[in-house]
Coordinates of all heavy atoms in Angstrom, one line a residue:
M1 N 201.8 99.6 40.6 CA 200.6 98.9 40.8 C 199.4 99.9 40.4 O 199.4 101.0 40.9 CB 200.5 98.5 42.2 CG 199.2 97.7 42.5 SD 199.2 97.0 44.2 CE 200.5 95.8 44.1
P2 N 198.5 99.5 39.6 CA 197.4 100.4 39.2 C 196.4 100.7 40.3 O 196.2 99.9 41.2 CB 196.7 99.6 38.0 CG 197.0 98.2 38.4 CD 198.3 98.2 39.0
W3 N 195.8 101.8 40.2 CA 194.8 102.2 41.2 C 193.6 102.7 40.4 O 193.7 103.0 39.2 CB 195.3 103.3 42.2 CG 195.9 104.5 41.5 CD1 197.2 104.7 41.3 CD2 195.2 105.7 41.1 NE1 197.4 105.9 40.7 CE2 196.2 106.5 40.5 CE3 193.9 106.1 41.1 CZ2 195.8 107.8 40.0 CZ3 193.6 107.3 40.5 CH2 194.5 108.1 40.0
F4 N 192.5 102.7 41.1 CA 191.2 103.1 40.4 C 190.5 104.2 41.2 O 190.5 104.3 42.4 CB 190.3 101.9 40.4 CG 190.9 100.7 39.6 CD1 191.5 99.7 40.3 CD2 190.8 100.6 38.3 CE1 192.1 98.7 39.7 CE2 191.4 99.6 37.6 CZ 192.1 98.6 38.3
L5 N 189.9 105.1 40.4 CA 189.0 106.1 41.0 C 187.6 105.6 41.1 O 187.1 105.0 40.2 CB 189.0 107.3 40.1 CG 188.1 108.5 40.5 CD1 188.7 109.2 41.7 CD2 188.0 109.4 39.3
Y6 N 187.0 105.8 42.3 CA 185.6 105.4 42.5 C 184.8 106.5 43.1 O 185.3 107.4 43.7 CB 185.5 104.1 43.3 CG 186.0 104.2 44.7 CD1 185.1 104.5 45.7 CD2 187.3 104.1 45.1 CE1 185.5 104.7 47.0 CE2 187.7 104.3 46.4 CZ 186.8 104.6 47.4 OH 187.2 104.7 48.7
M7 N 183.5 106.4 42.9 CA 182.6 107.4 43.4 C 181.4 106.7 44.1 O 180.9 105.8 43.6 CB 182.1 108.4 42.3 CG 183.2 109.1 41.7 SD 182.7 110.0 40.2 CE 181.6 111.2 40.9
L8 N 181.0 107.2 45.3 CA 179.9 106.7 46.1 C 178.9 107.8 46.3 O 179.2 108.9 46.6 CB 180.4 106.1 47.4 CG 181.4 105.1 47.4 CD1 181.8 104.8 48.9 CD2 180.9 103.8 46.7
E9 N 177.6 107.4 46.1 CA 176.6 108.4 46.4 C 176.1 108.1 47.8 O 175.8 107.0 48.2 CB 175.4 108.2 45.5 CG 174.3 109.2 45.7 CD 173.1 109.0 44.8 OE1 173.1 108.1 44.0 OE2 172.1 109.7 45.0
C10 N 176.1 109.1 48.7 CA 175.7 109.0 50.1 C 174.2 109.3 50.2 O 173.6 109.8 49.3 CB 176.5 110.0 50.9 SG 178.3 109.7 50.9
A11 N 173.7 108.8 51.3 CA 172.2 109.0 51.6 C 171.8 110.4 51.5 O 170.6 110.7 51.2 CB 171.9 108.3 52.9
D12 N 172.7 111.4 51.9 CA 172.3 112.8 51.9 C 172.4 113.4 50.5 O 172.2 114.6 50.3 CB 173.1 113.6 52.9 CG 174.6 113.6 52.6 OD1 175.0 113.0 51.6 OD2 175.3 114.2 53.3
G13 N 172.7 112.6 49.5 CA 172.9 113.1 48.1 C 174.3 113.5 47.7 O 174.5 113.8 46.5
S14 N 175.1 113.6 48.7 CA 176.5 114.0 48.4 C 177.3 112.9 47.7 O 176.8 111.7 47.8 CB 177.2 114.5 49.6 OG 177.3 113.4 50.5
V15 N 178.4 113.2 47.1 CA 179.2 112.2 46.4 C 180.5 112.1 47.0 O 181.2 113.2 47.2 CB 179.3 112.5 44.9 CG1 180.2 111.5 44.2 CG2 177.9 112.5 44.2
Y16 N 181.0 110.9 47.4 CA 182.3 110.7 47.9 C 183.2 110.1 46.8 O 182.8 109.2 46.1 CB 182.3 109.8 49.1 CG 183.6 109.4 49.6 CD1 184.3 110.3 50.5 CD2 184.2 108.2 49.3 CE1 185.6 109.9 50.9 CE2 185.5 107.9 49.7 CZ 186.2 108.7 50.5 OH 187.4 108.4 51.0
T17 N 184.3 110.7 46.6 CA 185.3 110.2 45.6 C 186.5 109.7 46.3 O 187.1 110.4 47.2 CB 185.6 111.3 44.6 OG1 184.4 111.8 44.0 CG2 186.5 110.8 43.5
G18 N 187.0 108.5 45.9 CA 188.2 108.0 46.5 C 189.0 107.2 45.5 O 188.6 107.1 44.3
I19 N 190.2 106.8 45.9 CA 191.0 105.9 45.0 C 191.3 104.7 45.8 O 191.4 104.7 47.0 CB 192.3 106.6 44.5 CG1 193.2 107.0 45.7 CG2 192.0 107.8 43.7 CD1 194.6 107.5 45.3
A20 N 191.5 103.6 45.1 CA 191.8 102.3 45.7 C 192.5 101.4 44.7 O 192.3 101.5 43.5 CB 190.6 101.6 46.3
I21 N 193.3 100.5 45.2 CA 193.9 99.5 44.4 C 192.9 98.3 44.2 O 192.7 97.8 43.2 CB 195.2 99.0 45.0 CG1 196.3 100.1 44.9 CG2 195.8 97.7 44.3 CD1 197.5 99.8 45.7
D22 N 192.3 97.9 45.3 CA 191.3 96.9 45.3 C 189.9 97.5 45.6 O 189.5 97.7 46.8 CB 191.6 95.8 46.4 CG 190.7 94.6 46.4 OD1 189.7 94.7 45.7 OD2 191.1 93.6 47.0
V23 N 189.1 97.8 44.6 CA 187.9 98.5 44.7 C 186.9 97.7 45.5 O 186.2 98.2 46.3 CB 187.3 98.9 43.3 CG1 185.9 99.6 43.5 CG2 188.3 99.8 42.6
A24 N 186.8 96.4 45.3 CA 185.9 95.5 46.0 C 186.1 95.5 47.5 O 185.2 95.6 48.3 CB 185.9 94.1 45.4
A25 N 187.4 95.5 47.9 CA 187.7 95.5 49.3 C 187.4 96.8 49.9 O 186.9 96.9 51.0 CB 189.2 95.1 49.5
R26 N 187.7 97.9 49.2 CA 187.4 99.2 49.7 C 185.9 99.5 49.8 O 185.4 100.0 50.8 CB 188.0 100.3 48.8 CG 187.9 101.7 49.3 CD 188.8 101.8 50.6 NE 188.8 103.2 51.0 CZ 188.8 103.6 52.3 NH1 188.8 102.7 53.2 NH2 188.7 104.9 52.6
F27 N 185.1 99.0 48.8 CA 183.7 99.0 48.9 C 183.2 98.3 50.2 O 182.3 98.8 50.9 CB 183.1 98.4 47.7 CG 181.6 98.3 47.7 CD1 180.8 99.4 47.4 CD2 181.0 97.1 47.9 CE1 179.4 99.3 47.4 CE2 179.6 97.0 48.0 CZ 178.8 98.1 47.7
A28 N 183.8 97.1 50.5 CA 183.4 96.4 51.6 C 183.7 97.2 52.9 O 182.9 97.2 53.9 CB 184.1 95.0 51.7
Q29 N 184.8 97.9 52.9 CA 185.1 98.7 54.1 C 184.1 99.8 54.3 O 183.6 100.1 55.4 CB 186.5 99.4 53.9 CG 187.6 98.4 54.1 CD 189.0 99.1 53.8 OE1 189.1 100.0 53.0 NE2 190.0 98.6 54.5
H30 N 183.7 100.5 53.2 CA 182.7 101.5 53.3 C 181.4 100.9 53.8 O 180.7 101.5 54.7 CB 182.5 102.2 52.0 CG 183.6 103.2 51.6 ND1 183.9 104.3 52.3 CD2 184.4 103.1 50.5 CE1 185.0 104.9 51.7 NE2 185.3 104.2 50.6
A31 N 181.0 99.8 53.2 CA 179.7 99.2 53.6 C 179.7 98.7 55.0 O 178.6 98.8 55.7 CB 179.4 98.0 52.6
S32 N 180.8 98.3 55.6 CA 180.8 97.8 56.9 C 181.0 98.9 58.0 O 181.0 98.7 59.2 CB 182.0 96.8 57.1 OG 183.2 97.4 57.0
G33 N 181.2 100.2 57.5 CA 181.4 101.3 58.4 C 182.8 101.6 58.8 O 183.1 102.4 59.7
T34 N 183.8 100.9 58.2 CA 185.2 101.1 58.5 C 185.9 101.8 57.4 O 187.2 101.9 57.5 CB 185.9 99.7 58.8 OG1 185.8 98.9 57.6 CG2 185.3 99.0 59.9
G35 N 185.2 102.4 56.5 CA 185.8 103.2 55.4 C 186.1 104.6 55.9 O 186.4 104.8 57.1
A36 N 186.1 105.5 55.0 CA 186.5 106.9 55.3 C 185.5 107.5 56.3 O 184.3 107.2 56.3 CB 186.5 107.7 54.0
R37 N 186.0 108.4 57.1 CA 185.2 109.1 58.1 C 184.0 109.8 57.4 O 182.9 109.8 57.9 CB 186.0 110.2 58.8 CG 185.3 110.8 59.9 CD 186.1 111.9 60.7 NE 187.4 111.3 61.0 CZ 188.5 112.0 61.1 NH1 188.5 113.2 60.8 NH2 189.7 111.4 61.5
Y38 N 184.2 110.4 56.2 CA 183.1 111.1 55.5 C 181.9 110.1 55.2 O 180.8 110.5 55.5 CB 183.6 111.7 54.2 CG 182.5 112.5 53.5 CD1 182.2 113.8 53.9 CD2 181.8 111.9 52.5 CE1 181.1 114.4 53.3 CE2 180.7 112.6 51.9 CZ 180.4 113.8 52.3 OH 179.4 114.5 51.7
T39 N 182.2 108.9 54.7 CA 181.1 108.0 54.4 C 180.4 107.5 55.6 O 179.2 107.2 55.6 CB 181.6 106.9 53.5 OG1 182.6 106.1 54.2 CG2 182.1 107.3 52.2
R40 N 181.1 107.5 56.7 CA 180.4 107.1 58.0 C 179.5 108.2 58.5 O 178.4 108.0 58.9 CB 181.5 106.7 59.1 CG 182.2 105.4 58.8 CD 183.0 105.0 60.0 NE 183.9 106.0 60.5 CZ 185.2 106.0 60.2 NH1 185.7 105.1 59.4 NH2 186.0 107.0 60.7
S41 N 180.0 109.4 58.3 CA 179.2 110.6 58.8 C 178.1 110.9 57.9 O 177.1 111.6 58.3 CB 180.1 111.8 59.1 OG 180.7 112.2 57.9
A42 N 178.2 110.6 56.6 CA 177.2 111.0 55.6 C 176.1 109.9 55.5 O 175.3 110.0 54.6 CB 177.8 111.3 54.3
H43 N 176.2 108.9 56.3 CA 175.2 107.8 56.3 C 175.2 107.2 54.9 O 174.1 107.2 54.2 CB 173.8 108.2 56.7 CG 173.8 108.9 58.1 ND1 174.0 108.2 59.2 CD2 173.7 110.2 58.5 CE1 174.0 109.0 60.3 NE2 173.8 110.2 59.8
W44 N 176.3 106.6 54.5 CA 176.5 106.1 53.2 C 175.4 105.1 52.8 O 175.0 104.3 53.6 CB 177.9 105.5 53.1 CG 178.1 104.8 51.8 CD1 178.5 105.5 50.7 CD2 178.0 103.5 51.5 NE1 178.7 104.5 49.7 CE2 178.4 103.3 50.2 CE3 177.7 102.3 52.3 CZ2 178.4 102.1 49.5 CZ3 177.7 101.1 51.6 CH2 178.0 101.0 50.3
L45 N 175.0 105.1 51.6 CA 174.0 104.2 51.1 C 174.3 103.9 49.7 O 174.4 104.8 48.8 CB 172.6 104.8 51.2 CG 171.4 104.0 50.7 CD1 171.2 102.7 51.6 CD2 170.1 104.8 50.7
A46 N 174.5 102.7 49.3 CA 174.8 102.3 47.9 C 173.6 102.4 47.1 O 172.5 102.0 47.5 CB 175.4 100.9 47.9
H47 N 173.8 102.8 45.9 CA 172.7 102.8 44.9 C 172.5 101.3 44.6 O 173.4 100.5 44.5 CB 173.2 103.5 43.6 CG 172.1 103.7 42.6 ND1 171.8 102.7 41.7 CD2 171.3 104.8 42.3 CE1 170.8 103.2 40.9 NE2 170.5 104.4 41.3
P48 N 171.2 100.9 44.3 CA 170.9 99.5 44.1 C 171.7 98.9 43.0 O 172.1 97.7 43.1 CB 169.4 99.5 43.8 CG 168.9 100.7 44.4 CD 170.0 101.7 44.4
A49 N 172.0 99.6 42.0 CA 172.8 99.0 40.8 C 174.3 99.1 41.0 O 175.0 98.6 40.2 CB 172.4 99.8 39.6
F50 N 174.7 99.7 42.1 CA 176.2 99.9 42.3 C 177.0 98.6 42.4 O 178.0 98.5 41.7 CB 176.4 100.8 43.5 CG 177.9 101.1 43.7 CD1 178.5 102.1 42.9 CD2 178.7 100.5 44.7 CE1 179.8 102.4 43.1 CE2 180.0 100.8 44.8 CZ 180.6 101.8 44.0
S51 N 176.5 97.7 43.2 CA 177.2 96.4 43.3 C 177.3 95.7 42.0 O 178.3 95.1 41.6 CB 176.6 95.5 44.4 OG 175.3 95.2 44.0
D52 N 176.2 95.8 41.1 CA 176.3 95.2 39.8 C 177.3 95.9 38.9 O 178.0 95.2 38.2 CB 174.9 95.2 39.1 CG 173.9 94.3 39.8 OD1 174.3 93.4 40.5 OD2 172.7 94.6 39.7
A53 N 177.4 97.2 39.0 CA 178.3 97.9 38.2 C 179.7 97.6 38.6 O 180.6 97.4 37.8 CB 178.1 99.4 38.4
V54 N 180.0 97.5 39.9 CA 181.3 97.1 40.4 C 181.7 95.7 39.9 O 182.8 95.5 39.5 CB 181.4 97.2 42.0 CG1 182.7 96.5 42.5 CG2 181.3 98.6 42.4
A55 N 180.7 94.8 40.0 CA 181.0 93.4 39.5 C 181.4 93.4 38.0 O 182.3 92.7 37.6 CB 179.8 92.5 39.8
R56 N 180.6 94.2 37.2 CA 180.9 94.2 35.8 C 182.3 94.9 35.5 O 183.0 94.4 34.7 CB 179.8 95.0 35.0 CG 178.5 94.2 34.9 CD 177.6 94.9 33.9 NE 177.4 96.3 34.2 CZ 176.4 96.8 35.1 NH1 175.6 96.0 35.7 NH2 176.3 98.1 35.3
F57 N 182.6 95.9 36.3 CA 183.8 96.6 36.1 C 185.0 95.7 36.5 O 186.0 95.6 35.7 CB 183.9 97.9 37.0 CG 185.2 98.5 37.1 CD1 185.7 99.2 36.1 CD2 186.0 98.3 38.2 CE1 187.0 99.8 36.1 CE2 187.3 98.9 38.3 CZ 187.8 99.6 37.3
L58 N 184.9 95.0 37.6 CA 186.0 94.1 38.0 C 186.1 92.9 37.1 O 187.3 92.5 36.8 CB 185.7 93.6 39.5 CG 185.8 94.6 40.5 CD1 185.4 94.1 41.9 CD2 187.2 95.2 40.6
E59 N 185.0 92.4 36.5 CA 185.1 91.3 35.5 C 185.9 91.8 34.3 O 186.7 91.2 33.7 CB 183.8 90.8 35.2 CG 183.8 89.7 34.2 CD 182.4 89.2 33.8 OE1 181.4 89.6 34.4 OE2 182.3 88.3 32.9
S60 N 185.5 93.0 33.8 CA 186.1 93.6 32.7 C 187.6 93.8 32.9 O 188.5 93.5 32.1 CB 185.5 94.9 32.3 OG 186.2 95.6 31.3
E61 N 188.0 94.4 34.0 CA 189.4 94.6 34.4 C 190.2 93.3 34.5 O 191.3 93.2 34.0 CB 189.5 95.4 35.7 CG 189.1 96.9 35.5 CD 190.1 97.6 34.5 OE1 191.3 97.6 34.7 OE2 189.5 98.2 33.6
T62 N 189.5 92.3 35.1 CA 190.2 91.0 35.2 C 190.5 90.4 33.9 O 191.6 89.9 33.6 CB 189.3 90.0 36.1 OG1 189.1 90.6 37.4 CG2 189.9 88.7 36.2
N63 N 189.5 90.5 33.0 CA 189.7 89.9 31.6 C 190.8 90.7 30.9 O 191.6 90.1 30.2 CB 188.4 90.0 30.8 CG 187.3 89.1 31.3 OD1 187.6 88.1 32.0 ND2 186.1 89.4 31.0
H64 N 190.8 92.0 31.1 CA 191.9 92.8 30.4 C 193.3 92.4 31.0 O 194.2 92.3 30.2 CB 191.6 94.3 30.6 CG 192.7 95.2 30.1 ND1 192.9 95.4 28.8 CD2 193.6 95.9 30.8 CE1 193.9 96.2 28.6 NE2 194.4 96.5 29.8
I65 N 193.4 92.3 32.3 CA 194.6 91.9 32.9 C 195.1 90.6 32.4 O 196.3 90.4 32.1 CB 194.5 92.1 34.4 CG1 194.4 93.5 34.8 CG2 195.7 91.4 35.1 CD1 194.1 93.8 36.3
H66 N 194.2 89.6 32.4 CA 194.6 88.3 31.9 C 195.1 88.3 30.5 O 196.1 87.6 30.2 CB 193.4 87.3 32.1 CG 193.1 86.9 33.5 ND1 194.0 86.0 34.2 CD2 192.1 87.2 34.3 CE1 193.5 85.9 35.4 NE2 192.4 86.5 35.5
A67 N 194.4 89.0 29.6 CA 194.8 89.1 28.2 C 196.2 89.8 28.1 O 197.1 89.4 27.4 CB 193.8 89.9 27.4
Y68 N 196.4 90.8 28.9 CA 197.7 91.6 28.9 C 198.8 90.6 29.4 O 199.9 90.6 28.8 CB 197.6 92.8 29.8 CG 198.8 93.6 29.8 CD1 199.3 94.3 28.7 CD2 199.6 93.7 31.0 CE1 200.4 95.1 28.7 CE2 200.7 94.5 31.0 CZ 201.1 95.2 29.9 OH 202.3 95.9 29.9
M69 N 198.5 89.9 30.5 CA 199.6 89.0 31.0 C 199.9 87.9 30.0 O 201.0 87.5 29.9 CB 199.1 88.4 32.3 CG 199.0 89.4 33.5 SD 200.5 90.2 33.9 CE 201.5 88.9 34.5
H70 N 198.9 87.4 29.3 CA 199.1 86.4 28.3 C 200.0 87.0 27.2 O 200.9 86.3 26.7 CB 197.8 85.9 27.7 CG 197.9 84.9 26.6 ND1 198.3 83.6 26.9 CD2 197.8 85.0 25.3 CE1 198.4 82.9 25.7 NE2 198.0 83.8 24.8
E71 N 199.7 88.2 26.8 CA 200.5 88.8 25.7 C 201.9 89.0 26.2 O 202.9 88.7 25.4 CB 199.9 90.2 25.3 CG 200.7 90.9 24.2 CD 200.0 92.2 23.8 OE1 198.9 92.4 24.1 OE2 200.8 93.0 23.2
L72 N 202.1 89.4 27.4 CA 203.5 89.6 28.0 C 204.2 88.3 28.0 O 205.4 88.2 27.7 CB 203.4 90.2 29.4 CG 203.1 91.7 29.4 CD1 203.0 92.1 30.9 CD2 204.0 92.6 28.7
N73 N 203.5 87.2 28.4 CA 204.2 85.9 28.5 C 204.5 85.4 27.1 O 205.6 84.7 26.9 CB 203.2 84.9 29.2 CG 203.2 85.1 30.7 OD1 204.2 85.6 31.2 ND2 202.1 84.8 31.3
E74 N 203.7 85.7 26.1 CA 204.0 85.3 24.7 C 205.2 86.0 24.2 O 206.0 85.5 23.4 CB 202.8 85.6 23.8 CG 201.6 84.6 24.0 CD 202.0 83.2 23.7 OE1 202.5 82.9 22.7 OE2 201.6 82.3 24.5
R75 N 205.4 87.2 24.6 CA 206.6 88.1 24.1 C 207.8 88.0 25.0 O 208.8 88.6 24.6 CB 206.1 89.5 24.0 CG 205.1 89.7 23.0 CD 204.6 91.2 22.9 NE 203.6 91.4 21.9 CZ 203.4 92.5 21.3 NH1 204.1 93.5 21.6 NH2 202.4 92.6 20.5
N76 N 207.7 87.2 26.0 CA 208.9 87.1 27.0 C 210.0 86.3 26.3 O 209.9 85.2 26.0 CB 208.4 86.4 28.2 CG 209.5 86.3 29.2 OD1 210.6 86.7 29.0 ND2 209.2 85.7 30.4
P77 N 211.1 87.0 26.1 CA 212.3 86.3 25.4 C 213.0 85.3 26.3 O 213.8 84.5 25.9 CB 213.2 87.4 25.1 CG 212.9 88.5 26.0 CD 211.5 88.4 26.4
F78 N 212.7 85.3 27.6 CA 213.4 84.4 28.6 C 212.5 83.3 29.0 O 212.8 82.6 30.0 CB 213.8 85.2 29.8 CG 214.7 86.4 29.4 CD1 214.2 87.7 29.5 CD2 216.0 86.2 29.0 CE1 215.0 88.7 29.2 CE2 216.8 87.2 28.7 CZ 216.3 88.5 28.7
R79 N 211.4 83.0 28.4 CA 210.5 81.9 28.8 C 211.1 80.6 28.5 O 211.9 80.4 27.6 CB 209.1 82.1 28.2 CG 209.1 81.9 26.7 CD 207.7 82.0 26.2 NE 207.9 82.0 24.7 CZ 206.9 82.2 23.9 NH1 205.7 82.5 24.3 NH2 207.1 82.2 22.6
A80 N 210.7 79.6 29.3 CA 211.3 78.3 29.2 C 210.7 77.5 28.0 O 209.6 77.7 27.6 CB 211.1 77.5 30.5

């Protein structure tokens, strides 16, 4: 299963780096205060454009995955 590297800018200017399979869900955990201890203690604050960047990234990845799955299905020798 693929995973993604993500970076968050904290209110104190520090940068938190993490990995996640579901970036949107992990982002929600950080935003709700249930993410990593570091982001809770660093008073995490999202950059205003961060949510837009995450949405664009997830859309791009979703499109790529759909295209890849379509290609795999087309090449599947066992399809009905």
Side-chain angles (χ1 to χ4, degrees):
M1 185 173 293
W3 52 269
F4 302 95
L5 175 74
Y6 65 93
M7 297 170 66
L8 302 175
E9 181 181 0
C10 298
D12 63 358
S14 62
V15 176
Y16 174 80
T17 305
I19 60 171
I21 293 171
D22 185 349
V23 177
R26 187 66 174 143
F27 175 78
Q29 288 177 329
H30 287 297
S32 69
T34 60
R37 184 180 310 147
Y38 181 82
T39 57
R40 289 192 304 265
S41 65
H43 306 289
W44 176 81
L45 177 67
H47 189 278
F50 185 74
S51 62
D52 293 336
V54 169
R56 285 191 309 272
F57 170 77
L58 292 175
E59 181 180 356
S60 171
E61 286 298 306
T62 300
N63 292 340
H64 174 73
I65 289 169
H66 285 290
Y68 181 69
M69 293 300 294
H70 178 74
E71 182 179 341
L72 289 177
N73 286 331
E74 289 295 313
R75 294 179 180 206
N76 183 358
F78 303 109
R79 65 180 173 187

